[in-house]
Amino acid sequence: GAGAATAGGVLAPRGLIPRIPAPRKMIAPAAATQEAPKGGICPKGHVLSQYTVPHYGSGKTGTCDGCNRKMRTEETVMDCRICNWYLCPDCLPLQDSEEDMFEAIWKRFRDGRDRIGKIQIFRHTRETNPVDPPPPSWYTDQQYADICRDLRTSPKVGISRELLFSWYKRSGGGSIKKDFQTLFRS
């Protein structure tokens, strides 16, 4: 979130750079295209278009580049044919409600778990602060412990969806909309 440091400097300034995922395998020609609503773009800046996932053959699937979820045949995604890169409807919701945007942020960092740990919260910090991330010396075990203490959890327990959401909602916390735009639309 924007300038999201606590009094003790626990959480860093906002921002996330979309990670450039490994190339997907098994992508067929675009089944349908239409300009992406609300400015969806790939990491290289190409406008995303709607794409219907084709049948790749037995046992072969495409994968969302946001959350790594396997895609189903005939599922509609937002796609860059040039880069062979796409996002599922969960990672690039067509409606920009705050709940949908937070859910996309959470799914990006939770790595399929119900809590995020040090690696994920530090990745969140780096990727939501592309212009002015904390220096490498900021990413320490002590910093993670301070973040957990600030969120009223422990490093062993980790950060739940509810705790991260509460951080976004409190005064001085992050901005769901800005982080979502940085992660998925910039």
Side-chain angles (χ1 to χ4, degrees), residues 10-125:
V10 174
L11 293 177
R14 60 157 274 80
L16 268 166
I17 299 172
R19 65 184 157 88
I20 299 175
R24 286 176 295 132
K25 298 175 184 166
M26 306 305 302
I27 299 301
T33 59
Q34 174 182 10
E35 185 161 312
K38 302 178 183 147
I41 58 174
C42 77
K44 291 187 179 178
H46 304 119
V47 174
L48 300 181
S49 300
Q50 285 187 0
Y51 176 76
T52 301
V53 177
H55 178 68
Y56 294 120
S58 180
K60 298 176 183 175
T61 62
T63 304
C64 172
D65 289 300
C67 66
N68 295 317
R69 178 171 68 84
K70 298 292 182 197
M71 306 311 301
R72 295 179 301 274
T73 299
E74 300 299 317
E75 189 167 2
T76 300
V77 297
M78 296 306 291
D79 176 78
C80 175
R81 292 288 71 222
I82 295 167
C83 296
N84 192 24
W85 190 91
Y86 63 76
L87 296 173
C88 71
D90 291 333
C91 288
L92 186 64
L94 298 179
Q95 297 177 14
D96 281 341
S97 74
E98 189 170 78
E99 179 75 25
D100 288 341
M101 289 186 284
F102 177 76
E103 193 60 30
I105 292 168
W106 176 250
K107 285 181 179 180
R108 183 179 181 106
F109 296 102
R110 73 184 196 109
D111 295 334
R113 298 182 184 104
D114 64 347
R115 293 181 176 267
I116 58 176
K118 180 175 78 171
I119 292 169
Q120 295 85 9
I121 199 65
F122 286 172
R123 195 173 104 224
H124 174 276
T125 300

Side-chain angles (χ1 to χ4, degrees), residues 116-181:
I116 58 176
K118 180 175 78 171
I119 292 169
Q120 295 85 9
I121 199 65
F122 286 172
R123 195 173 104 224
H124 174 276
T125 300
R126 279 191 308 276
E127 292 181 11
T128 55
N129 292 283
V131 176
D132 190 23
S137 60
W138 184 87
Y139 301 96
T140 65
D141 289 340
Q142 183 59 53
Q143 184 64 46
Y144 177 60
D146 292 345
I147 291 169
C148 288
R149 185 172 40 259
D150 181 60
L151 295 174
R152 294 182 171 87
T153 188
S154 71
K156 184 176 180 178
V157 172
I159 301 164
S160 69
R161 179 189 187 284
E162 293 74 23
L163 290 174
L164 186 61
F165 186 74
S166 70
W167 172 75
Y168 273 109
K169 300 307 286 180
R170 73 184 184 192
S171 176
S175 168
I176 291 171
K177 184 175 181 177
K178 287 179 184 176
D179 283 359
F180 179 83
Q181 288 175 339

